[in-house]
Amino acid sequence: MMKFRFRRQGNDPQREKIKQELFAFNKTVEHGFPHQPSALTFDPQLQLMAIGTKSGAIKIYGSPGVEFTGLHRDTAAVAQIHFLQGQGRLLSLLDDNTLHLWELGGASRDRGEAKREGVVYLEEKRNYSLLGRPGLESFSASRVTVLLLLRSCDLLCVGTEGGGIHFLDLPRLSLRDNQSLLLDQVMQSVPEDYRCGKSLGPVESLQEHPQQPGKILIGYSRGLVVLWDLSTRNAEHMFLGKQQLESLVWERSGSSFISSHSDGGYSVWAVASGNTYTHQPVSSSIPYGPFPCKAINKILWRTTQSGCPVVLYSGGMPRASYGDRHCVTIQQDKQHVTLDFTSRVVDFFTVHTTDLEHDCDDPTALVVLLEEELVVIDLLTTGWPSVLPPYLAPLHSSAITTSCHLDNVPAKLWDRLAAAGKSQGTQHANGVKHAHGSWPICGGKNLAPPPKQQELLLTGHEDGTVRFWDVSAVAMTPLYKLSTANVFHTDCDPNDDPLDPNDDPEALQEEEWPPFRKVGCFDPYSDDPRLGIQKISLCKYSCRLVVAGTAGQVIVLGLSDERSDHTVHVSTVDLLQDREGFTWKGHDRLEPRASPAPFPPGFQPLVMVQALPPASVTAVMLHAEWNLVAFGTSHGFGLFDYHRRTAVLARCTLHPNDSLAMEGPLSRVKSLKKSLRQSFRRIRKSRVSGKKRPVPTPTSKIQEANAALADQEEVAPVQRRIEPRSADDSLSGVVRCLCFADTYLRDGTHHGPTLWAGTNSGSVYAYALEVPGVGSGRGRPGGPGGEVPGVGSGRGRPGGEVSGSVEAVLGKEIQLMHRAPVVSVCVLDGRGKPLPEPYQASLDLATAPDMTNPHSVLIASEEQLKVFSLPKVSAKTKFKLTAHEGCRVRRVAVVTVCSTAQEDYSENSLVCLTNLGDLHLFNVPALRPQVRYDCIRKEDISGIASCVFTKNGQGFYLISPSEYQRFSLSAKVITEPLCTVDLERPLEPHISDDAAMPLRANGTHRNQAEGLTEDPPCGLSSPPPLSPLDSPMSMVDLSLDTTGELTVEDVRDFLTTVDEVENNFRNITEEDGGSLGILIN
């Protein structure tokens, strides 16, 4: 048929080879803090820490960049984990009562390149299920409560709910027959008056004697503690405690041990030879008594050279007053600190000397795993300050609302951000200084090459902060934190100066008991939800940053190395422009400070633009070279010149039926009746929309031919007919995307600055801008990352003032055919490449765009991708993505993918993420499908919504509130852990295939997802070969296929006269009347 005239069947082998050298999908590393941690352990010999989660993941961390991840086959929570010290082996206990042995082993993996020798991976070796024996123990009685690995690492002691203890040989995980220690055997040695007909309860704690191997301390829930000799299988000593037991710990010499109890107290017991029974401890203490206290869940006793032991324990708070606090207490002599956390304590350990030749423990650091973060305390520095972690930072300290990625960050900007972040790090939120000591978890060796460029990931948060993260390598390190709250008067405003929060003398004089100290940065509560950051735009060359929030605030900031106190200039832009019939029912705007506010070194606000109504900002775009910022909400979009502090443009995009747009995200006044009525109307319209369609006037022969073909001929094999959306859908005026471009809009000979805006109703507005001084050096900075003068003073850039003001004139108004929301607008130069960023061409940091050949604009809606020529805005090529299984486009980006075979070869590709979680890549500008990958589960709506792409073919999306999954679409650019560990045992190399590939913590395989081709080295997924649309051809344009379309784009030109429009229309109909095309009104 005619519609397949220019398409070839089959695959081009040469093109397939090029695609294999360009594209490969890999989920590489998980950044952030593990979601729902449930277990913790530490190997003091290898200096490695392991964390288990409720989803069954095991994550091992060492020095920055050293990470190992494993996932149990069954989705069950990890209850306990223990290292076989020095061996690189790990035991995990799941809540389904199964034991699993993991091992760090060598592997040779081939991705079409050199084999990675020496790289170590984590994998499961064997497992064991401990079930109750028929007639002797029920399943509940055999449920494992505690594990003890002997220092020899050849025996595992397993305590159970029924009070029995079983013994397993390691590393085989085989049960020793007839050697289990049952409760009856222990009861025989218990004095008659202590039995009283009561059970001893579950085994709560097992501890090996620090000086005498083969002797273990067994603690039962009722309070009995037994020193058991494994060689003679006899009870050597019994400690007849009467308080419910929680935990046990040995003193290093083995002459005493400490027990913690459910009443909030702990006791010290002496281990004396000769006496079989001990009825009373040497000493007992309830630190936060005398009133009832909560249980001390775990206690550690560490000896020091000074002779004063360090006692650390969790819990024990007064039940009535502080029963809801999550605390860990540190005591040494007269020093007493209660670390107060904002989330539950999971477990903790100390980093100390384990060599038996030393007489003391001499702890150096305390590591506390909480439900939402990891906190490390320096025990060597006076005051016990916290240590800033180089990784495992809680990304969700306040909920993430948006993100933005920058690649190839200039060194000057990077250094200034790092310096600003370092000055913040020396001052904790509660006035306690951080320690600058070395990170105590420093095992393993990072084999990955140093990153070729510096990369930043910016995350906006609900509390009005923007956090800058170093994502250049595997470790995601916090670099700098910006807060916008001090620009406003918020509902909770403790003081005017966030730098000195503890300057209240009355608060310092009052001594609190317990001596609480707020530790950690996880704070899920926001002072005011209107502070939430919605959009971020940063120019890395001029150091200009724009952040936009939930209450319509758009803040332009500049980078400064000095602290400043100044008043922020405020301008308002009314997007409704006094339109009648619309009343804002949502939240009020934030009240800006009228007095000067203090701003620390870093990004400081220059000017704030307040959009009215104060709806959430849905799009923002910065062009620092023109000193312009564009922003959009659900009511329209505006353009602001922050150099002159004047509004340039305000355009309302509301439809008469956009009532929901006036209610706001925080409104509670939505009408159920109105929602139901609108739903029934949409259903009714969708049923009749296919029967009758109004024919637009004037009717052309082209449209009649298209309509006839649509009714008679079948649609393309991989496509289905799409019904047009109603024009009066609610929230149709939401601005989805904004774009600045220097291109041809007026005619084909004169180019200039333009602004493009796309809305939820499929409308695209193109404005021609008159920017004084463009091309004559206006606003040119001193260089990448250069100084920003006059922060807070309103002065512009160096180079002198340029007279005149920016003007905007509506040039084109495009209405897409199905009224699908516009996701992205991108202008392409004469070579079909995206235009460079501001300053890139003027600073010779990128190839200058081709301004001699005609430009084009790529408009991506939720349903299709389409390229239009400029300035006529005539359709060149398209791809109807929604016709494939009904998927909708959610995220779009143009990425540059480099070849693994040729250093100087790369291609620009358009990557689309759909609501089904799959990724589609197309070449630009021909829009030919290249590859498709399954990336995110379609049920993971938050993961799809949070996805952000990098310009070199990588991406990030949230797999939990606290974790980003990093992935790569490029066969060349892959950021993944490549590390090794020096083990006491030899590595066992093996070849890993797809079946044995270790699982990722998010439940997906480490390499490609399902449905890929059979070629594992390249990881390529080509589209189905039966589809004629998938033929891999050269980069030439496709002929436009309009078969099956029932509507056409409506383009209105506002820069030409009526006579010119008629002449253009006459020329088009004469030249193209014989072929299928589109009508331009």
Side-chain angles (χ1 to χ4, degrees):
M1 292 185 294
M2 182 168 56
K3 59 185 175 181
F4 300 126
R5 181 176 52 185
F6 299 102
R7 295 175 181 154
R8 293 186 296 159
Q9 300 281 347
N11 293 333
D12 182 359
Q14 184 178 1
R15 179 59 189 169
E16 287 297 320
K17 181 181 178 182
I18 295 176
K19 283 162 52 174
Q20 292 181 9
E21 296 167 353
L22 289 172
F23 307 110
F25 179 75
N26 290 285
K27 291 185 178 180
T28 54
V29 65
E30 293 165 5
H31 295 298
F33 182 77
H35 184 51
Q36 294 183 328
S38 56
L40 175 72
T41 190
F42 180 67
D43 188 334
Q45 293 186 32
L46 298 180
Q47 296 288 299
L48 295 176
M49 175 184 67
I51 296 177
T53 70
K54 291 183 179 179
S55 61
I58 298 287
K59 298 193 174 186
I60 299 178
Y61 301 93
S63 59
V66 176
E67 296 184 13
F68 307 96
T69 302
L71 185 70
H72 292 88
R73 298 288 174 179
D74 299 326
T75 306
V78 179
Q80 295 181 46
I81 46 179
H82 299 272
F83 271 113
L84 279 69
Q85 294 187 9
Q87 297 187 14
R89 292 190 175 105
L90 183 78
L91 268 175
S92 62
L93 169 67
L94 303 187
D95 62 357
D96 62 359
N97 223 40
T98 58
L99 292 167
H100 301 259
L101 180 65
W102 296 81
E103 190 172 283
L104 292 173
S108 298
R109 299 192 178 194
D110 193 356
R111 280 215 183 106
E113 52 186 272
K115 294 183 178 181
R116 306 185 186 278
E117 298 294 340
V119 177
V120 174
Y121 297 93
L122 178 67
E123 54 193 2
E124 183 180 349
K125 284 296 185 180
R126 53 184 61 88
N127 57 73
Y128 179 81
S129 180
L130 187 66
L131 301 177
R133 292 172 294 176
L136 295 179
E137 290 181 342
S138 64
F139 178 77
S140 60
S142 65
R143 179 171 294 277
V144 179
T145 56
V146 63
L147 299 176
L148 171 64
L149 269 168
L150 298 189
R151 281 192 301 275
S152 58
C153 295
D154 59 354
L155 185 65
L156 174 67
C157 307
V158 181
T160 63
E161 189 84 23
I165 301 176
H166 306 282
F167 302 96
L168 281 76
D169 286 318
L170 293 178
R172 294 181 301 161
L173 274 185
S174 58
L175 182 67
R176 289 189 176 182
D177 296 330
N178 303 321
Q179 292 195 24
S180 298
L181 175 59
L182 302 181
L183 193 60
D184 295 340
Q185 297 175 254
V186 178
M187 289 294 288
Q188 293 174 4
S189 303
V190 176
E192 189 67 32
D193 58 345
Y194 188 82
R195 297 183 192 178
C196 300
K198 297 180 181 178
S199 171
L200 297 181
V203 179
E204 289 291 343
S205 183
L206 292 172
Q207 299 291 332
E208 185 180 10
H209 197 291
Q211 303 296 333
Q212 301 178 26
K215 293 183 180 181
I216 61 174
L217 206 59
I218 307 171
Y220 294 93
S221 177
R222 183 179 162 188
L224 176 68
V225 180
V226 179
L227 181 60
W228 186 265
D229 192 331
L230 294 175
S231 59
T232 62
R233 294 183 55 81
N234 287 320
E236 187 173 295
H237 204 114
M238 288 197 172
F239 305 88
L240 307 178
K242 298 180 181 179
Q243 187 64 41
Q244 182 176 333
L245 184 70
E246 294 291 332
S247 71
L248 296 171
V249 62
W250 279 103
E251 189 267 334
R252 186 179 183 91
S253 65
S255 61
S256 62
F257 68 89
I258 298 88
S259 60
S260 67
H261 303 278
S262 61
D263 62 348
Y266 64 88
S267 303
V268 179
W269 300 79
V271 181
S273 59
N275 297 328
T276 307
Y277 302 105
T278 299
H279 294 270
Q280 295 295 333
V282 175
S283 64
S284 295
S285 173
I286 301 180
Y288 300 112
F291 299 104
C293 296
K294 300 197 73 173
I296 293 180
N297 303 308
K298 179 178 180 178
I299 188 168
L300 297 178
W301 185 284
R302 302 298 183 221
T303 58
T304 62
Q305 295 282 356
S306 63
C308 297
V310 180
V311 184
L312 312 99
Y313 53 88
S314 60
M317 288 294 102
R319 189 176 295 274
S321 304
Y322 304 106
D324 58 343
R325 298 287 186 101
H326 310 289
C327 300
V328 170
T329 300
I330 309 176
Q331 290 180 242
Q332 185 182 24
D333 198 13
K334 295 182 180 180
Q335 290 181 294
H336 189 139
V337 173
T338 306
L339 305 177
D340 188 11
F341 305 103
T342 55
S343 57
R344 184 179 64 87
V345 177
V346 176
D347 201 354
F348 62 94
F349 65 84
T350 59
V351 180
H352 61 276
T353 303
T354 57
D355 192 346
L356 296 178
E357 295 180 358
H358 290 76
D359 297 330
C360 300
D361 295 309
D362 291 328
T364 59
L366 166 67
V367 180
V368 185
L369 176 64
L370 307 164
E371 239 178 9
E372 307 293 350
E373 61 183 320
L374 183 81
V375 174
V376 178
I377 304 297
D378 184 359
L379 297 179
L380 296 180
T381 306
T382 304
W384 299 325
S386 57
V387 179
L388 289 173
Y391 51 83
L392 282 177
L395 308 180
H396 64 318
S397 53
S398 177
I400 296 176
T401 51
T402 186
S403 59
C404 171
H405 181 272
L406 275 84
D407 65 337
N408 223 355
V409 179
K412 186 69 177 294
L413 171 60
W414 188 273
D415 295 340
R416 297 176 68 187
L417 285 174
K422 188 175 181 180
S423 66
Q424 289 178 336
T426 59
Q427 192 76 19
H428 194 268
N430 57 8
V432 178
K433 290 184 180 295
H434 281 294
H436 290 284
S438 59
W439 182 246
I441 304 162
C442 53
K445 182 181 179 181
N446 186 10
L447 300 180
K452 296 181 179 179
Q453 61 177 8
Q454 305 284 7
E455 297 182 48
L456 275 178
L457 182 68
L458 280 63
T459 54
H461 298 263
E462 191 180 35
D463 61 355
T465 59
V466 178
R467 298 168 195 262
F468 292 65
W469 307 91
D470 178 5
V471 291
S472 310
V474 170
M476 186 175 183
T477 307
L479 196 66
Y480 166 71
K481 173 185 171 183
L482 165 69
S483 177
T484 62
N486 54 344
V487 180
F488 308 97
H489 284 292
T490 59
D491 295 340
C492 298
D493 199 0
N495 48 60
D496 290 337
D497 192 349
L499 300 178
D500 303 308
N502 273 0
D503 284 347
D504 186 2
E506 296 182 2
L508 294 177
Q509 291 176 2
E510 192 174 319
E511 201 167 320
E512 187 181 19
W513 183 261
F516 289 117
R517 181 204 294 174
K518 285 285 185 183
V519 180
C521 60
F522 177 72
D523 183 11
Y525 305 106
S526 174
D527 292 343
D528 195 325
R530 296 174 295 174
L531 289 171
I533 305 298
Q534 296 299 323
K535 297 295 175 182
I536 303 171
S537 182
L538 173 61
C539 176
K540 58 190 178 184
Y541 303 112
S542 64
C543 302
R544 285 291 192 258
L545 171 68
V546 174
V547 294
T550 305
Q553 71 271 27
V554 180
I555 307 174
V556 183
L557 305 102
L559 187 60
S560 175
D561 299 329
E562 303 295 333
R563 173 189 166 118
S564 174
D565 293 78
H566 63 267
T567 304
V568 180
H569 178 81
V570 180
S571 296
T572 59
V573 177
D574 185 6
L575 297 179
L576 289 183
Q577 299 177 320
D578 300 326
R579 181 175 292 197
E580 297 180 356
F582 291 93
T583 304
W584 174 248
K585 304 174 184 177
H587 51 265
D588 295 331
R589 56 181 286 186
L590 285 164
E591 180 186 355
R593 291 181 184 271
S595 58
F599 299 102
F603 277 104
Q604 300 174 356
L606 301 174
V607 62
M608 188 190 81
V609 185
Q610 178 62 59
L612 296 178
S616 178
V617 177
T618 57
V620 73
M621 182 58 64
L622 169 68
H623 200 295
E625 197 167 5
W626 301 339
N627 290 334
L628 295 177
V629 57
F631 57 92
T633 69
S634 55
H635 308 113
F637 57 91
L639 180 63
F640 189 82
D641 182 352
Y642 60 84
H643 176 71
R644 295 175 178 80
R645 299 181 177 178
T646 57
V648 178
L649 168 68
R651 172 65 186 258
C652 182
T653 57
L654 282 177
H655 189 273
N657 290 343
D658 277 349
S659 57
L660 290 181
M662 304 307 297
E663 298 182 357
L666 306 179
S667 173
R668 299 293 184 268
V669 296
K670 294 184 179 180
S671 169
L672 177 61
K673 184 184 297 184
K674 183 182 295 184
S675 300
L676 291 174
R677 187 186 301 118
Q678 291 173 347
S679 299
F680 282 116
R681 285 178 179 173
R682 279 195 293 268
I683 294 173
R684 193 179 302 115
K685 288 180 181 179
S686 65
R687 288 175 177 173
V688 301
S689 59
K691 300 178 182 179
K692 289 186 177 181
R693 297 187 182 276
V695 180
T697 57
T699 304
S700 68
K701 295 182 179 180
I702 298 176
Q703 287 175 288
E704 293 175 358
N706 285 344
L709 285 173
D711 293 335
Q712 296 175 8
E713 297 187 11
E714 61 180 359
V715 189
V718 296
Q719 300 181 1
R720 62 181 180 85
R721 186 170 301 173
I722 307 300
E723 299 293 342
R725 305 189 186 195
S726 173
D728 59 352
D729 281 348
S730 297
L731 298 177
S732 61
V734 175
V735 177
R736 295 286 296 271
C737 60
L738 294 162
C739 172
F740 285 109
D742 184 358
T743 187
Y744 299 94
L745 189 63
R746 299 177 180 272
D747 52 54
T749 57
H750 301 89
H751 63 87
T754 60
L755 170 66
W756 300 74
T759 70
N760 229 26
S761 61
S763 299
V764 179
Y765 303 91
Y767 280 81
L769 307 179
E770 292 290 343
V771 181
V774 170
S776 59
R778 172 186 185 260
R780 188 183 180 106
E787 296 290 334
V788 179
V791 172
S793 64
R795 291 180 301 180
R797 306 180 187 279
E801 292 290 336
V802 179
S803 61
S805 59
V806 182
E807 296 181 0
V809 181
L810 180 61
K812 310 282 185 183
E813 186 175 329
I814 307 169
Q815 179 61 58
L816 297 185
M817 51 185 172
H818 292 302
R819 300 185 179 274
V822 179
V823 179
S824 173
V825 176
C826 178
V827 176
L828 309 175
D829 68 2
R831 293 187 294 265
K833 296 183 178 180
L835 298 181
E837 298 178 23
Y839 287 118
Q840 276 193 332
S842 59
L843 296 175
D844 297 327
L845 299 172
T847 305
D850 183 359
M851 308 301 286
T852 57
N853 296 311
H855 285 197
S856 56
V857 58
L858 169 59
I859 299 178
S861 71
E862 283 191 356
E863 296 181 355
Q864 70 176 3
L865 315 170
K866 204 157 193 177
V867 176
F868 298 87
S869 63
L870 291 177
K872 289 185 178 181
V873 193
S874 58
K876 294 176 63 178
T877 183
K878 70 176 179 183
F879 187 85
K880 295 186 284 188
L881 196 62
T882 303
H884 295 201
E885 303 299 330
C887 62
R888 299 288 176 89
V889 177
R890 288 290 179 258
R891 288 285 185 272
V892 173
V894 178
V895 300
T896 301
V897 184
C898 298
S899 171
T900 57
Q902 305 177 43
E903 289 291 333
D904 57 346
Y905 182 76
S906 64
E907 288 186 9
N908 290 319
S909 299
L910 181 74
V911 54
C912 297
L913 174 67
T914 72
N915 63 330
L916 301 181
D918 51 359
L919 293 168
H920 299 258
L921 277 85
F922 305 86
N923 61 10
V924 176
L927 297 183
R928 295 190 181 281
Q930 299 301 303
V931 289
R932 187 196 70 82
Y933 301 113
D934 295 325
C935 180
I936 310 174
R937 293 180 299 107
K938 63 181 180 181
E939 298 84 8
D940 188 3
I941 299 175
S942 62
I944 295 173
S946 64
C947 185
V948 58
F949 297 105
T950 73
K951 292 188 176 180
N952 59 6
Q954 298 187 82
F956 302 82
Y957 68 91
L958 287 172
I959 54 175
S960 73
S962 60
E963 287 176 292
Y964 271 108
Q965 172 69 64
R966 187 170 190 154
F967 62 89
S968 175
L969 300 168
S970 170
K972 186 174 184 178
V973 181
I974 299 176
T975 303
E976 62 177 346
L978 298 174
C979 39
T980 187
V981 178
D982 294 330
L983 305 175
E984 295 181 353
R985 59 177 178 80
L987 294 179
E988 300 176 8
H990 68 283
I991 303 298
S992 296
D993 54 16
D994 289 341
M997 197 69 72
L999 296 173
R1000 302 295 291 168
N1002 62 350
T1004 57
H1005 284 282
R1006 185 174 186 279
N1007 269 3
Q1008 294 73 22
E1010 298 178 0
L1012 306 188
T1013 60
E1014 297 179 358
D1015 189 3
C1018 66
L1020 184 66
S1021 172
S1022 297
L1026 298 178
S1027 169
L1029 290 177
D1030 299 333
S1031 174
M1033 298 170 63
S1034 63
M1035 301 282 287
V1036 298
D1037 290 349
L1038 284 171
S1039 62
L1040 181 63
D1041 172 29
T1042 57
T1043 304
E1045 293 180 8
L1046 303 180
T1047 58
V1048 294
E1049 278 79 14
D1050 176 38
V1051 181
R1052 287 189 286 173
D1053 195 335
F1054 294 89
L1055 295 178
T1056 55
T1057 63
V1058 177
D1059 295 337
E1060 290 174 333
V1061 173
E1062 292 178 354
N1063 291 334
N1064 291 337
F1065 175 67
R1066 188 178 300 110
N1067 293 334
I1068 293 173
T1069 53
E1070 290 175 357
E1071 294 173 3
D1072 302 329
S1075 62
L1076 297 179
I1078 67 168
L1079 174 64
I1080 302 181
N1081 293 336

